[in-house]
Amino acid sequence: MSTAAPEPKANMGQPIPRYDAVAKVTGRAEYAADVPLANPAYAYLVTSAIAKGRVDSFDLDEARRVRGVIDIITHENMVKLKDAKLFSNGGYMSTTVQPLKSADIAHDGQIIAVVLAESFEAARDAAHRVKVSYSTMPPTASFDSQGTTAAGAKGQLAQFKEDPEVGDFAKGFDSAEVKVSAEYETPTQHHNPMELFATSCAWNGDQLTIYEPSQYVYGLKNGVAEQLGVDADKVRVINAYVGGAFGSKGSVTPRTAIIASLARRLNRPVKLVATRDQGFTIATYRAETRHQVKLGAGRDGKLLALRHDGHEISSRPDPYAVGGTKTTTRLYACPNVASMVSIVRADRNTPGFMRSPPEVPYLFALESAMDELAIELNMDPIELRRINDTTTEPIKGKPYTSRSLMACFDEAAKAFDWSKRNPTPRSMSDGDWLIGYGCATTCYPTQMAPAAARVRLQRDGRVRVQIAGHEIGNGAYTVIAQAAAERLGVPIENVSVMIGDSDLPPAPVAGGSNSTASTCSAVMKVCDQVRQRLLKAVMPEEGVINRAKETVGVGRTPVTDAAHGDQALDREKAFDALGVGVVEEYGEWKPEGAPLDSFHAMYAGHARLIGGPEFGDKIAYAFGAEFVEVRINRNTREIRVPRLVGAFACGHIMNPRTARSQLMGGLIWGMSSALLEATEIDPRNARYVNDNLADYLVPVNADVPSVEVILLSEQDDQVNPAGVKGLGELGNVGTNAAVCNAIFHATGQRIRKLPVRLEKLEI
Ligand code: MOS
C-alpha cells in the first residue's frame, strides 16, 4: 500500500490499479480524434468576432483559393437541421442556439462558417482568410451591464422545481441575537479539459458513426438523430476514453450534427478538432453567480433563520440555472428558511454543468457565511457546524440515509492539527508570512439513474461486461470490473469491460457523480442473474433457489461466500449441467423511486437522476470536511497554499485508489477556483479575454505541495445496491470557502468575491 493506494478500511474494495493505466501512460489509449478514418475531410470552424448582431456578408474569395479547400459552409448554403430542446429542459442540447441557421449572432464565438479541406492545415489557413462583415449591436456582458433581464428560475426550467422554504424566515431573523448578512460572488469559469472538443463523423450508407468525447453516448446518439431527422438506431457513438470533461461533454453541442450533415453531403468522413479558444464559446461553462446570504442564530450558535438568494447568468435564449439552494437550505438544522434562485440573461453562450455545478458556487456563499457567523459568535467554526448538525433535513423533515459530516471534521481536524490554531485573526505568522487556517463543509447529492448491462461468463471463469458507461478519468473501467469480479467471485484479471459505445446497453450521463453507483448497481444485478442461472442448474431444489435469491440486492457476497446464506458453486459442473458454453444475461436496473417510464427514457438518452433531496421520503448526500492552510507574504501579498486536507465519507468505496485520486483532484480544483481560475469578460463587447491556457490560470504541482485525502469508513444500505455515494464532485466543494476562511484568519480581511487575487488584499 502507498499514499496513492490507501489501505482499504471496512466497506471498501481493493485499491487495484486502473484498468486503463498502462494504455494511457504509454499513449496507446485511443481518444476520439485519434481514430483513423478512411480519406477524411478536415473541418475548421470560423466563429463570430462579435457577441450580438448579424452577418451582413462573407468574402470567401481568398479562402477558397487556398489549395486543398473543398467547400466553405455558411448559413447561406447549410442544410436545415431540426431544432432541439435544452438538456436541462428535457432535451439533449447544450444550447438552443443553432449556428448556421441564419445570419443572426447570439453570442461571442458562435460558429458562423465551417471550412472543409483535404488537410487540417489547409482548412485552418482558409478559415483565417474568411472575411466577415457584421452589423453589430451593443451586447450585454454580465450582471452590471445594461440590458440584463432577471426572473425566478422556478417556472422557466423543467429541472428547477422549487425555491425551498420552511417556517417564517423574517420572524426568525428578527428574533436572532447574532446575525450575518453578506453578499458573495463567483466568477465565470471554463472546464478546459485537456482533450479538445473534437468530433469525427462517418456514414456507411444510412448508418452514422460518431467518434467524439462524450459523457453521454446515448444522449449524443439520440440528440444528433433528432437534429438530423434520422432514426436513432442508425446512429452510433464511440469513444473508449474521454480526456477530461467535467460537465462540458455531457450535453450535445451544435457542432456534432453540423459535422454529421457535412459528412453526409460530402459522402466522406469529416473530422473536426476545435481549438482551445473555440472551446470557450462552442460548449458550456460555469456562469458567474451572485449570492445574498442571511444567517440568524442564538448566542448558543443554533441557527434560527437562513436565507439564500442566488443570481446566475444565462444566455438570452436559454434559462439555464445550477440552482444550489436545494442543497444550502438543507445542510444544517434551521427552523426558518427561505431561498430564491434568479436567472439573469445576457448576450452569452449558454452555460451548463461544471464539476459540482451548484455546490461549488452556492456552498462558497454558505460556508463563508458560516465562518463569518462563527467569528460573530466567537466560536470555533467546527463547533458551529457540530451545533447545527442534523440527521433530518429542515425543509421537509426527511432523514438523511447516512451523514458522517462531524466524523469527517474530527478526522480532518486531527490530521491537520487544527488544535494548534490560535483563533485570533492575524495572530499566526512565520517570518514574513502570515499564516491562516480555514475549514468548510463539503457535501454532494448522491444520485443514481437507470442503467442496463450485459454480462457474459465463460466456463473457464472469464467474464465480459458490457455497458455504455464512460471513462472520463473517473476509473469507470476499473470499478465496473471490480463490481463484476466481486459479485461473481472471480479474479479481477478475468474480467474485461466494454464501455464508451452507444451500441452497448445504456448507462446514464457520466455526470452528477452518479456513474459508479448506477453502473455498478446494474452490473451487480445482471451478475446476480448469471448466478441464478448457474445455481438453478446445479441446485434445482426450490429451497436452494430461494436462498440464492435472498442474496440478490444489497450486499457484496461472492458466489462462494457461504457465510451469507449463499452456496458454493462448482462453475464447470453448472455449465455442463446447462449444456452451454457461455452464460450471458442482459438486465435493467433502476433506482428506488424511479418512475415507471424510466427505462423508456433511458433508451431515448434522457438521464433522469434520482437522489439528493429528491430521493422519495429520504435525502441522500455524501459529506466531507476540508481544511486549508494559507501563507500570505506581508510584503508581496503572495498567497500560497502549503496544505490541503480533506476527509470524506461516501458509503461503499469501490476502490480507494481511484476514489482518492478523484477527491485529490477535487481539492486541488477547489483551491484553484478560489485563487486562480476566472474567465475574464470584456464588458464592452461581451467577449472572453483570456480564452487560452496561458492566461486562464490553472494550478500546477508547485501550487499544491501537500494534499491529504482521508477516506472514512461508512456503510449506507439505503442508497443503491452498490452502497455507493458518488464522490467525483465532492472534493472541490467548499474548498473555495475554506481558502477564504483561512485568508480571513491570516489577515482579518474577509474576501467575498472570487477569485482572490493579491490586488484584493489590503495587508
Ligand atoms: Mo458533472 S458537471 O455533473 O459532469
Side-chain angles (χ1 to χ4, degrees):
M1 298 295 156
S2 66
T3 310
E7 184 86 47
K9 299 173 185 165
N11 200 26
M12 294 187 190
Q14 289 301 311
I16 61 165
R18 284 166 186 269
Y19 180 98
D20 45 332
V22 173
K24 279 182 172 168
V25 298
T26 56
R28 278 192 287 112
E30 195 173 61
Y31 290 81
D34 300 332
V35 175
L37 303 167
N39 189 32
Y42 294 85
Y44 198 98
L45 303 176
V46 179
T47 56
S48 68
I50 67 164
K52 188 178 185 181
R54 47 183 288 118
V55 173
D56 288 333
S57 63
F58 289 100
D59 176 354
L60 304 177
D61 290 350
E62 202 189 316
R64 285 196 189 282
R65 279 202 296 273
V66 172
R67 189 145 46 117
V69 168
I70 299 166
D71 203 354
I72 301 174
I73 315 300
T74 70
H75 66 276
E76 290 163 353
N77 59 348
M78 174 70 190
V79 296
K80 293 285 166 269
L81 299 172
K82 293 195 174 20
D83 288 330
K85 283 200 289 187
L86 194 67
F87 187 89
S88 11
N89 250 340
Y92 304 102
M93 303 303 297
S94 65
T95 174
T96 60
V97 172
Q98 210 189 93
L100 306 182
K101 188 180 181 182
S102 75
D104 295 338
I105 291 169
H107 62 83
D108 170 36
Q110 180 179 317
I111 299 168
I112 54 169
V114 182
V115 179
L116 296 167
E118 297 294 342
S119 70
F120 172 77
E121 290 76 10
R124 179 176 58 185
D125 186 11
H128 289 152
R129 294 169 194 272
V130 169
K131 296 194 185 78
V132 191
S133 299
Y134 300 100
S135 290
T136 306
M137 290 162 70
T140 302
S142 186
F143 284 120
D144 296 324
S145 311
Q146 281 200 345
T148 55
T149 56
K154 197 169 81 174
Q156 291 191 73
L157 187 63
Q159 214 179 53
F160 191 96
K161 296 195 187 69
E162 59 170 357
D163 287 307
E165 58 175 351
V166 71
D168 184 338
F169 167 79
K171 215 165 130 191
F173 192 67
D174 277 350
S175 70
E177 283 178 277
V178 184
K179 295 176 194 182
V180 165
S181 177
E183 304 198 348
Y184 304 90
E185 197 167 330
T186 63
T188 316
Q189 296 179 333
H190 278 79
H191 315 76
N192 279 313
M194 294 251 287
E195 182 189 31
L196 296 165
F197 295 99
T199 196
S200 296
C201 295
W203 292 85
N204 182 357
D206 63 353
Q207 304 268 341
L208 169 64
T209 305
I210 302 169
Y211 303 93
E212 176 175 323
S214 169
Q215 290 170 265
Y216 195 15
V217 290
Y218 264 76
L220 186 55
K221 157 196 162 116
N222 281 281
V224 170
E226 183 175 281
Q227 286 180 280
L228 295 174
V230 303
D231 185 343
D233 285 346
K234 305 276 188 204
V235 180
R236 181 178 181 188
V237 178
I238 299 177
N239 68 329
Y241 304 100
V242 182
F246 317 116
S248 66
K249 294 165 182 168
S251 50
V252 182
T253 67
R255 73 183 193 274
T256 314
I258 291 172
I259 297 301
S261 79
L262 297 182
R264 187 164 54 183
R265 184 201 293 207
L266 277 187
N267 197 22
R268 191 174 163 182
V270 174
K271 177 170 175 171
L272 168 75
V273 181
T275 61
R276 176 62 62 189
D277 62 303
Q278 289 169 347
F280 277 70
T281 59
I282 65 163
T284 61
Y285 61 99
R286 195 197 302 281
E288 57 273 34
T289 64
R290 286 182 173 177
H291 307 259
Q292 291 83 41
V293 179
K294 288 180 194 287
L295 299 178
R299 275 272 150 229
D300 58 359
K302 278 212 170 88
L303 284 171
L304 296 170
L306 179 154
R307 180 172 186 103
H308 191 165
D309 291 319
H311 292 262
E312 306 180 20
I313 286 288
S314 190
S315 67
R316 203 62 84 178
D318 295 323
Y320 179 80
V322 293
T325 53
K326 64 177 183 282
T327 294
T328 55
T329 54
R330 289 174 166 92
L331 182 47
Y332 299 114
C334 183
N336 303 295
V337 179
S339 67
M340 166 111 181
V341 171
S342 299
I343 301 177
V344 179
R345 308 291 187 99
D347 297 309
R348 297 273 296 283
N349 50 323
T350 302
F353 317 101
M354 183 161 146
R355 201 175 186 187
S356 336
E359 282 76 20
V360 163
Y362 278 76
L363 260 78
F364 169 64
L366 179 64
E367 288 302 290
S368 295
M370 286 294 281
D371 201 68
E372 298 201 39
L373 182 62
I375 298 288
E376 290 296 320
L377 289 160
N378 198 19
M379 182 180 277
D380 184 285
I382 302 174
E383 290 316 301
L384 179 61
R385 268 88 175 180
R386 198 183 311 280
I387 285 165
N388 292 292
D389 191 29
T390 180
T391 54
T392 57
E393 56 90 12
I395 303 298
K396 297 191 175 139
K398 298 180 190 177
Y400 281 92
T401 56
S402 59
R403 171 165 162 139
S404 308
L405 175 63
M406 293 324 299
C408 291
F409 265 107
D410 292 341
E411 289 270 332
K414 197 164 72 184
F416 188 83
D417 259 341
W418 180 259
S419 60
K420 299 226 165 73
R421 174 184 187 256
N422 178 340
T424 308
R426 224 184 154 92
S427 63
M428 292 169 65
S429 62
D430 178 6
D432 283 343
W433 296 86
L434 300 173
I435 297 174
Y437 289 1
C439 64
T441 295
T442 174
C443 69
Y444 195 80
T446 297
Q447 304 189 97
M448 290 74 62
R454 190 185 293 115
V455 176
R456 166 191 286 194
L457 175 66
Q458 296 180 182
R459 189 177 186 278
D460 64 5
R462 280 188 292 169
V463 175
R464 186 184 72 181
V465 182
Q466 295 176 303
I467 180 166
H470 309 84
E471 179 58 64
I472 56 174
N474 47 358
Y477 281 109
T478 315
V479 296
I480 289 169
Q482 286 181 282
E486 287 169 19
R487 205 63 167 188
L488 292 172
V490 301
I492 187 88
E493 298 76 26
N494 280 21
V495 183
S496 72
V497 175
M498 295 172 70
I499 60 175
D501 181 340
S502 68
D503 272 6
L504 300 174
V509 61
S513 297
N514 88 88
S515 272
T516 300
S518 305
T519 58
C520 291
S521 292
V523 167
M524 285 163 55
K525 179 181 172 181
V526 182
C527 288
D528 285 337
Q529 292 173 207
V530 171
R531 293 166 56 183
Q532 292 258 351
R533 265 182 71 186
L534 298 176
L535 284 163
K536 264 186 211 171
V538 285
M539 306 174 214
E541 311 88 26
E542 194 69 20
V544 174
I545 293 167
N546 285 342
R547 273 215 304 285
K549 271 182 190 159
E550 281 166 20
T551 67
V552 177
V554 176
R556 278 160 294 279
T557 48
V559 177
T560 50
D561 185 353
H564 289 79
D566 210 338
Q567 298 286 316
L569 177 77
D570 185 332
R571 187 179 54 244
E572 292 182 1
K573 201 170 127 204
F575 269 84
D576 292 344
L578 281 168
V580 297
V582 299
V583 171
E584 184 167 277
E585 286 286 324
Y586 184 100
E588 298 165 333
W589 173 82
K590 67 183 171 64
E592 190 187 319
L596 286 173
D597 66 348
S598 292
F599 289 130
H600 175 67
M602 171 179 82
Y603 289 100
H606 295 297
R608 304 237 177 99
L609 297 189
I610 301 262
E614 314 288 340
F615 193 45
D617 55 3
K618 291 168 288 216
I619 174 171
Y621 275 77
F623 288 92
E626 301 190 350
F627 287 69
V628 174
E629 177 181 332
V630 298
R631 288 181 171 233
I632 300 173
N633 190 289
R634 292 177 203 272
N635 306 311
T636 64
R637 304 185 202 166
E638 183 186 358
I639 308 168
R640 306 300 304 170
V641 178
R643 289 195 297 148
L644 294 166
V645 175
F648 307 93
C650 320
H652 178 66
I653 303 292
M654 291 297 301
N655 180 328
R657 180 197 299 263
T658 54
R660 171 188 171 270
S661 170
Q662 287 278 293
L663 292 162
M664 176 179 63
L667 279 164
I668 295 168
W669 196 345
M671 180 279 294
S672 158
S673 90
L675 295 176
L676 301 174
E677 286 190 53
T679 310
E680 308 291 346
I681 305 154
D682 189 327
R684 298 165 302 180
N685 55 25
R687 303 195 70 192
Y688 298 132
V689 178
N690 53 337
D691 55 354
N692 58 75
L693 283 182
D695 297 317
Y696 185 97
L697 302 180
V698 293
V700 297
N701 287 22
D703 291 314
V704 282
S706 166
V707 185
E708 186 178 352
V709 173
I710 301 162
L711 295 168
L712 267 70
S713 181
E714 184 185 65
Q715 180 149 354
D716 189 328
D717 294 335
Q718 297 184 61
V719 280
N720 52 63
V724 164
K725 292 170 154 185
L727 52 73
E729 291 166 282
L730 183 65
N732 61 324
V733 177
T735 335
N736 44 14
V739 168
C740 288
N741 298 343
I743 290 172
F744 177 82
H745 180 233
T747 64
Q749 185 186 349
R750 179 65 62 179
I751 297 191
R752 302 187 180 90
K753 181 175 175 177
L754 298 181
V756 184
R757 295 271 164 76
L758 46 79
E759 66 269 21
K760 288 187 185 156
L761 290 176
E762 296 156 6
I763 57 170

